[in-house]
């Protein structure tokens, strides 16, 4: 049996993942359910927003020319002819040379006015207003189409709708939006040694940590995880689980059994009913990763070690599901830090080192392969490119936050 993996670079693996990803499937949903979902079509302004010229301060609507040269010593004198009431579009008030109208924040700018003087920059004496600062044309005014002009793109396709976006959608009158259907991603854990979370492991057994971890990550990313339980390292139970999952899922993630040990059947089983496109990536941790597909359904084999599986999720699975969601690929969130210790790295593989961030210093969290505690003790990863032999203490690094 050939025990050597035909490893490919991370960029090739990611390219393959994106290439085999099915595109997003649009569905219309109520806008109030849209946050967290990914837009499948641009949201276009159906009208000018805010739709009327309005004041952005409490003050006096004026003609800017009337305030030219105004100062504390020589204020401009304007006669106050009224008060704009909020939400009243029919206001008959207008401003002519030598007059002004009081307007609260958000009030309609009266006809004839082209600027607003803040109340703080005025004094009043009877119905006269003393303006102590000049204002420029348009000052303190939001024009009717200044936020969005009719026909403008308010939110672009591919954007994940944020809580702020929900406010903008409401302001623009959208009650329905077209988003990508949430892809259903099947998760199958493999390994004779695995037992469910609720079980007490016997000698040599471990609880299935990967399925809940992968499911949680998928859910947070905007997918629907579907769990198919634990299968033994036996062809028949493996094939049964896969046959059940294939018609129900848009992609399938298998965890464990992705290497080339005699018990590792993932690649053989994918090849039996589909094709294996990648078996082995020059990434550490996470080398024994499989990318395959069966009848146009992407089927990935993730390494069994939870920390390795998590790195592969972020680096390889993330671009796959981003594409399935039609999500504009947003880079992983990073922060700058100073490296606290030298990190040696083997040339020829892209390494992801777990680090703990403290006061801007990134401390590597070294640990034996398979330790769970490094996932909790670290709060990010440093990527060391394949061509690099390590990073020196004191150098500036980008930490991928997780
Ligand atoms: P494998 O990738 O199947 O060779 O497994 C590598 C290591 O990861 C072994 O120590 C497994 O027991 C462990 N492992 C595999 N699957 C899981 C899982 N779902 N949860 C926790 N550990 C696992
Ligand atoms: Mg195994």
């Amino acid at each position: 049996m050939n025990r050597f993996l035909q490893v490919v670079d991370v960029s090739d693996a990611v390219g393959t993942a994106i290439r085999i990803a099915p595109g997003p499937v649009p569905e219309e949903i109520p806008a109030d359910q849209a946050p967290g979902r990914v837009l499948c079509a641009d949201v276009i302004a159906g009208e000018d927003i805010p739709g009327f010229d309005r004041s952005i301060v409490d003050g006096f609507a004026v003609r800017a020319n009337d305030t030219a040269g105004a100062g504390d010593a020589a204020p401009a004198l304007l006669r106050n002819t009224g008060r704009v009431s909020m939400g009243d579009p029919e206001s008959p008030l207008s401003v002519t040379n030598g007059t002004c109208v009081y307007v609260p924040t958000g009030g309609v700018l009266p006809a004839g006015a082209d600027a607003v003087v803040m109340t703080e920059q005025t004094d009043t004496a009877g119905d006269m207003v003393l303006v102590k600062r000049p204002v420029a044309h348009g000052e303190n005014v939001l024009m009717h189409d200044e936020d969005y002009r009719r026909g403008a793109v308010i939110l672009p396709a591919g954007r994940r709708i944020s809580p702020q976006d929900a406010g903008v959608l409401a302001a623009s009158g959208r009650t329905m939006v077209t988003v990508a259907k949430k892809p259903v991603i099947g998760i199958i854990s493999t390994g004779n040694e695995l037992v469910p979370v609720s079980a007490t492991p016997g000698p040599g057994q471990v609880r299935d940590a990967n399925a809940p971890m992968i499911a949680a990550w998928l859910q947070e990313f905007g997918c629907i995880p579907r769990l198919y339980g634990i299968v033994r390292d036996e062809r028949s139970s493996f094939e049964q689980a896969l046959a059940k999952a294939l018609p129900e899922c848009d992609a399938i993630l298998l965890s464990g059994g992705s290497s080339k040990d005699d018990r590792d059947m993932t690649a053989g089983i994918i090849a039996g009913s589909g094709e294996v496109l990648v078996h082995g990536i020059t990434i550490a941790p996470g080398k024994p990763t499989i990318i395959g597909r069966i009848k146009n359904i992407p089927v990935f084999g993730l390494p069994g070690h939870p920390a390795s599986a998590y790195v592969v999720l972020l680096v390889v699975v993330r671009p796959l599901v981003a594409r399935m969601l039609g999500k504009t690929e947003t880079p992983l969130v990073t922060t700058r830090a100073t490296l606290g210790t030298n990190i040696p790295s083997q040339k020829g593989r892209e390494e992801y080192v777990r680090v703990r961030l403290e006061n801007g210093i990134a401390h590597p969290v070294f640990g034996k392969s398979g330790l769970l505690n490094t996932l909790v003790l670290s709060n990010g990863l440093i990527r060391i490119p394949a061509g690099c032999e390590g990073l020196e203490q004191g150098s500036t690094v980008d930490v991928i936050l997780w």
Side-chain angles (χ1 to χ4, degrees), residues 104-147:
T105 303
V108 181
L109 190 75
D114 63 6
V116 179
V117 184
M118 290 172 76
T119 312
E120 294 86 322
Q121 293 169 351
T122 63
D123 283 328
T124 43
D127 65 352
M128 295 308 285
V129 177
L130 286 71
V131 176
K132 299 184 291 185
R133 298 274 180 282
V135 279
H137 176 85
E139 196 167 332
N140 295 325
V141 174
L142 191 69
M143 299 308 288
H144 62 282
D145 60 355
E146 200 169 327
D147 215 345

Side-chain angles (χ1 to χ4, degrees), residues 88-328:
D88 179 10
E90 306 303 338
S91 171
L93 296 167
S94 64
V95 171
T96 52
N97 281 337
T99 70
C100 64
V101 165
Y102 179 78
V103 56
T105 303
V108 181
L109 190 75
D114 63 6
V116 179
V117 184
M118 290 172 76
T119 312
E120 294 86 322
Q121 293 169 351
T122 63
D123 283 328
T124 43
D127 65 352
M128 295 308 285
V129 177
L130 286 71
V131 176
K132 299 184 291 185
R133 298 274 180 282
V135 279
H137 176 85
E139 196 167 332
N140 295 325
V141 174
L142 191 69
M143 299 308 288
H144 62 282
D145 60 355
E146 200 169 327
D147 215 345
Y148 294 102
R149 179 170 295 183
R150 183 195 157 111
V153 174
I154 295 180
L155 298 171
R159 181 176 170 100
R160 188 172 192 192
I161 299 171
S162 67
Q164 306 91 293
D165 295 346
V168 179
L169 282 173
S172 64
R174 289 295 288 244
T175 54
M176 301 292 288
V177 284
T178 308
V179 296
K181 266 191 173 161
K182 288 187 173 197
V184 176
I185 314 285
I187 303 168
I188 303 173
S189 301
T190 74
N192 288 346
E193 76 283 20
L194 297 183
V195 294
V197 186
S198 53
T200 304
Q205 294 184 325
V206 292
R207 294 193 183 93
D208 176 9
N210 287 349
M213 178 183 74
I214 296 167
W217 181 84
L218 287 169
Q219 198 149 19
E220 198 175 277
F221 201 76
C223 304
I224 299 173
R226 186 167 291 175
L227 297 155
Y228 290 91
I230 298 165
V231 303
R232 295 184 61 78
D233 296 315
E234 291 160 4
R235 223 185 156 86
S236 61
S237 51
F238 206 131
E239 281 172 344
Q240 260 174 29
L242 205 50
K244 181 162 167 33
L246 276 166
E248 297 174 353
C249 299
D250 301 306
I252 297 170
L253 303 178
L254 303 156
S255 113
S258 60
S259 199
K260 281 225 162 174
D261 183 88
D262 293 337
R263 293 165 301 116
D264 294 334
M265 293 178 304
T266 308
I269 286 172
I270 297 173
S273 28
E275 52 183 333
V276 171
L277 302 162
V278 170
H279 191 183
I281 305 177
T282 54
I283 187 172
K287 182 179 176 186
T289 294
I290 297 165
I291 301 179
R293 87 178 138 184
I294 301 175
K295 300 188 194 86
N296 286 327
I297 305 286
V299 181
F300 281 38
L302 306 184
H305 283 312
S308 312
Y310 202 78
V311 167
V312 173
L313 268 182
L314 292 189
V315 179
V316 187
V317 176
R318 189 177 184 272
L320 170 90
V321 286
R323 172 82 188 87
M324 294 175 79
L325 283 160
K327 201 168 175 177
T328 320

Side-chain angles (χ1 to χ4, degrees), residues 14-94:
V14 169
T16 302
I18 292 171
R19 182 167 56 78
I20 65 168
V25 179
E27 67 172 339
E28 272 227 297
I29 61 161
D32 61 3
Q33 289 165 27
R37 304 294 297 272
V38 179
L39 280 168
C40 241
D42 292 344
V43 174
I44 305 289
E47 61 213 1
D48 291 344
I49 299 174
F52 59 95
D53 297 346
R54 70 181 189 193
S55 175
I56 59 170
V57 295
D58 293 332
F60 293 93
V62 298
R63 292 192 168 195
N65 281 345
D66 277 352
T67 67
D72 288 320
L77 272 181
L78 301 175
R79 195 163 51 81
N80 182 358
T81 59
R83 214 184 154 82
V84 169
S85 14
M86 293 296 284
D88 179 10
E90 306 303 338
S91 171
L93 296 167
S94 64

